[in-house]
Amino acid sequence: MARFLIVEARFYSHLNDMLIEGASAALKAGGHEVETITVPGALEIPAAIAMAAESGRYDGFVGIGVVIRGETYHFEIVAGESARGIMALTMDGIAIGNGILTVENEAQALVRADPAQKNKGGEAAQAALALLQLSGRFAA
């Protein structure tokens, strides 16, 4: 049994609820413990994961959030930098599933977040589980 932390940027509550439902179900199906914390936005997800990883209390992480394109360049910054931050942490050996949706509109987000449809929360949890298993394989 492993201990996972879901770090969510709670901006679109109804979408996040579905993503968290999918991620939690995937993790709990394997008998793992799940805790969830909330940060202000997607840009804060990598920092929160880094702090939690430093604590040593968790074996893996899932980042959850939704970034919907708007009228300004802000979308590109948030989408790119949150993904870059998560990727940098995974390169340091931290098992993280990236469940931050980056979409054009809410309709796209609904399909991707819904556990009965694309279930991107569940997919992110599966990615974190796969990385955790791989890290165990290469442990000294």
Side-chain angles (χ1 to χ4, degrees):
M1 177 183 67
R3 191 161 187 211
F4 283 85
L5 179 66
I6 297 173
V7 179
E8 68 148 336
R10 190 111 183 129
F11 201 78
Y12 297 98
S13 297
H14 62 297
L15 298 169
N16 278 24
D17 287 345
M18 288 189 280
L19 288 165
I20 291 169
E21 177 186 343
S24 294
L27 296 169
K28 289 178 181 177
H32 304 291
E33 289 184 33
V34 180
E35 185 179 335
T36 303
I37 62 167
T38 302
V39 296
L43 288 174
E44 290 77 36
I45 291 173
I49 290 173
M51 288 181 226
E54 184 75 22
S55 77
R57 292 176 31 205
Y58 303 97
D59 302 299
F61 303 88
V62 179
I64 295 290
V66 179
V67 183
I68 298 175
R69 186 181 299 279
E71 297 176 2
T72 68
Y73 184 69
H74 187 67
F75 171 86
E76 282 82 6
I77 293 170
V78 175
E81 292 302 313
S82 61
R84 186 196 60 75
I86 289 173
M87 183 55 68
L89 293 169
T90 61
M91 297 299 287
D92 287 340
I94 301 172
I96 306 171
N98 185 349
I100 302 172
L101 302 181
T102 53
V103 295
E104 296 292 326
N105 53 56
E106 187 173 345
Q108 290 178 348
L110 281 167
V111 169
R112 285 158 179 77
D114 187 349
Q117 294 185 58
K118 293 206 178 215
N119 194 18
K120 294 299 180 179
E123 286 181 16
Q126 292 297 333
L129 285 164
L131 287 173
L132 182 61
Q133 182 180 30
L134 191 60
S135 70
R137 178 179 176 187
F138 295 121

